Amino acid sequence: MEDELFNRKLLEKFPEIHDCFETYVSWQDGIRTGSTLIVEDVFNPFCKEAAMNKNAEMVKRICEFVEECICSNDHLEYTAIYVGFLEWLKSSPIPELVNGLLESSRKAYDALIY
């Protein structure tokens, strides 16, 4: 998968981030902006806000997406979520998100050492 395809997938799964995404990539490479950057700078703040607002349905969607990416056989998809999301979450745990992680993403999260 290329950055553009991952970014499109992320936008398809989370249309709520579209405006923030467009603003962020407007001065970079547009839809081709690096996926890990998009996860770190667009997706993570969205996830944090959903968790802080106790939006259980959104947290569930987020954790399902993370699991899908961690279980993917695609290197870029896995890496963007592992490095961009799980490492961020491990360094600054948000209980709602940590507790929502599914089996494979939880194992990857637990294996991270900080």
Side-chain angles (χ1 to χ4, degrees):
M1 180 176 290
E2 297 176 5
D3 288 311
E4 178 178 352
L5 292 175
F6 178 85
N7 293 341
R8 288 190 190 284
K9 178 178 179 174
L10 183 64
L11 289 170
E12 180 181 296
K13 297 277 185 172
F14 299 95
E16 301 88 349
I17 67 170
H18 183 268
D19 290 345
C20 187
F21 175 88
E22 288 298 326
T23 299
Y24 183 77
V25 302
S26 67
W27 57 274
Q28 295 188 46
D29 295 324
I31 194 72
R32 292 184 181 96
T33 299
S35 298
T36 302
L37 291 174
I38 297 300
V39 169
E40 291 172 344
D41 296 336
V42 177
F43 185 60
N44 290 352
F46 169 77
C47 296
K48 182 177 182 179
E49 181 178 337
M52 295 298 131
N53 289 335
K54 307 286 190 213
N55 187 336
E57 183 58 37
M58 186 60 68
V59 168
K60 180 180 180 206
R61 281 178 51 206
I62 290 164
C63 292
E64 288 170 349
F65 177 74
V66 169
E67 183 76 0
E68 180 182 330
C69 293
I70 289 298
C71 292
S72 171
N73 290 326
D74 185 272
H75 179 71
L76 184 139
E77 191 170 350
Y78 175 90
T79 302
I81 290 299
Y82 185 88
V83 172
F85 181 83
L86 290 179
E87 288 186 3
W88 161 75
L89 189 59
K90 188 72 170 198
S91 68
S92 302
I94 299 169
E96 293 82 2
L97 292 171
V98 173
N99 294 335
L101 293 174
L102 301 174
E103 185 178 357
S104 295
S105 49
R106 183 57 189 237
K107 286 180 184 175
Y109 174 86
D110 288 343
L112 285 165
I113 299 171
Y114 273 79

